[in-house]
Amino acid sequence: MISTALLGFGIVGSGTAEVLTRNQALIESRIGDSFRIRYILDLREFPDSPFAPLIVHDFNTILNDPEISVVAEMMGGSHPAYDFTKALLMAGKSVVTSNKEVVANFGTELLQIARENGVHYLFEASVGGGIPIISPLRKDFSSNRITAISGILNGTTNYILTRMKNEGAAFDDVLRDAQRLGYAERNPAADVEGLDAARKTVILAAMAFGKRLDPNAIHCEGITNITPEDCAYAESAGYAIKLIGHTSLMDGRVVAMVSPRAVRADNPIYGVNDVFNGILVEADMVGKVMFYGPGAGKLPTASAVAADMIEIMSGRTVDAAEWTDAGTDDIADFDGYVCRSLLTFDVPKEQAAGLRAVFGASDYFTGRNGKHTFVTKPMSEAETLARIASAGFPLVSRIRVLD
Amino acid sequence: MISTALLGFGIVGSGTAEVLTRNQALIESRIGDSFRIRYILDLREFPDSPFAPLIVHDFNTILNDPEISVVAEMMGGSHPAYDFTKALLMAGKSVVTSNKEVVANFGTELLQIARENGVHYLFEASVGGGIPIISPLRKDFSSNRITAISGILNGTTNYILTRMKNEGAAFDDVLRDAQRLGYAERNPAADVEGLDAARKTVILAAMAFGKRLDPNAIHCEGITNITPEDCAYAESAGYAIKLIGHTSLMDGRVVAMVSPRAVRADNPIYGVNDVFNGILVEADMVGKVMFYGPGAGKLPTASAVAADMIEIMSGRTVDAAEWTDAGTDDIADFDGYVCRSLLTFDVPKEQAAGLRAVFGASDYFTGRNGKHTFVTKPMSEAETLARIASAGFPLVSRIRVLD
């Protein structure tokens, strides 16, 4: 009999209790042992819940119970989640989590503490909700060098962008509607300004390249400045605008960034709409593989938390990864990041040729209503900005292309 | 030092040698041990290959070498691949394979022999080429009950259907072109008649439900009868025709089938084009998750073979599965299989209302050139066929809808 505990009985916590209970017999047959949820830590009481007898308010009850060997942390926020996790790992208990903030901020240290104590720290649910992505990166691409990961990592912003594209609606209007429908939080800043995606991008970058960057220091643009016109310019060129977390290597240094990107219709990410997530992994042997599914939600996220618990309970855990915190030399200079851009300038028809003189030929170039839209060749951030400045016409829209 | 052997030095075999060699240092750091390819079994000589010194022609050299602990079988065909695999497992050597024919035909027995001998039989590369799908089914959905799997499992037929849709071209013409380009074999029967997809469907069904069906006995339709008109009728209703391997449960009995299906634009499988594969897993807790990528090819398939070898070499193998061969009571009656259908009848405009009388209301109903196309409500195979027979008009096209 394996004894487990849950930290947090919110959406993911209660979902995890539900998954573990509803499929308990199946899970026990898979791990070859029986298990129980012994405690659920929460500040609140849940008198009407079938799990009410398991609720405890004192973390030390769990920390000091020698029978508890696996704990799922689903509290959210850095503190006390980080502190509890650290204490549990040092006490020789494995921890799994859905808490991307803790993994992105403290993953290096927590993975090391787990190793030193012969236990595990797993975090499948921290990226992509129910979509398996951390586990494939740990296991299924083991014969590959990862070269890049690009993904729609935030369902709220993807829902907003999908509706802006389909309806030509303004950001503010769709956001209000999303809040009303429960797809966006009352304070949507972490979603719409990109921080949620930045944390997930940092986790993916660390899984791919072994270096953890500071999620608050990477290049991060949200979608608050995206207009229906931006969407229309992109659509006219065959692209959709998606909020993309991207990581890759440049001269051996890590690029990690979040920004709106123009995704062409032949990219599998193009069709990832509404609240769904899609994560495209590029690796040297396998090429491009995409993982698609529900990036959030009670039971999907709980499914991933439970999978990590099952991996530990079955006694055949592959270590998550060995990360180091990135030093200055590990991080690519963002000015040097190379991509194509979808640019729209406000330029009189008879002067549009001047744009070609500055940016060179483009396989796409169209003008209407005095606006000219085209896709540049690949060039660095610095060069792109310099050419825009020297174009001599007002820039209306710039969206980086995801190739 | 772990000693391995490869059976077969064709496309996948030579690819596996390349993957293991090019990323050897990386792989050794991941398994925490060194390894070597000691033998490569093939009937041919490869005097110009860097692997020439490893080529052997006598299987017994590998079978009787006590140092060999992991063997990758990439010979194709049932015999002698099955016989060699069985002998190796009985000799206490783990086997991984890309050979879907052997897994689909003999998987139950080989998995049992592996268990009895304390070794492993893994087959990630047998379905979906480089796409992780067997491993996620073994591990990442461990807290779920799988309810259905539907996938584009054959790249050749998807390439042909994609071009038929985009160009309005005929099957025969596109097939010839695909053969010229190397996307279809000179004898394309196993691909275009669906047997390749049927074998993969049987493997997925066994992973999902624990029952292995006979791949030669499941309902299997290929794409040889699909016409450009079928594609046009589907497109007019917002669907694309894909060759889909599907498995699900019906009253606790296994459905496994391969047939062309009409896939609507809001299904993530809709956007899986050209030679790519996409596999949609439905499970009770996580919902729908899709895996997309290269379903064939030298290095992608080799990447999956190598991942299985690495799992075994790292000593943390999760058993593939425990299958039993399906008995008559385990297999659903195909006549009872329920789905919607996209039907096109040849019917004079003034008599089209007669179709509604037979099939009931439909959310889509259009007529042109004397052809009327509509989508039925969900109904069983038997009922669909009976209503078609009683319609009193010639049926031009029937494609099952994938919902």
Side-chain angles (χ1 to χ4, degrees), chain B residues 11-26:
Chain B
I11 290 176
V12 180
S14 61
T16 300
E18 184 177 336
V19 168
L20 292 174
T21 308
R22 276 173 57 183
N23 281 343
Q24 180 148 11
L26 181 76

Side-chain angles (χ1 to χ4, degrees), chain A residues 135 140 142 290 292 316-317, chain B residues 30 135 140 290 292 316-317:
Chain A
S135 167
D140 300 313
S142 53
M290 187 179 75
Y292 166 97
R316 305 214 175 159
T317 313
Chain B
R30 283 174 178 164
S135 167
D140 300 314
M290 186 178 75
Y292 166 97
R316 305 213 174 158
T317 314

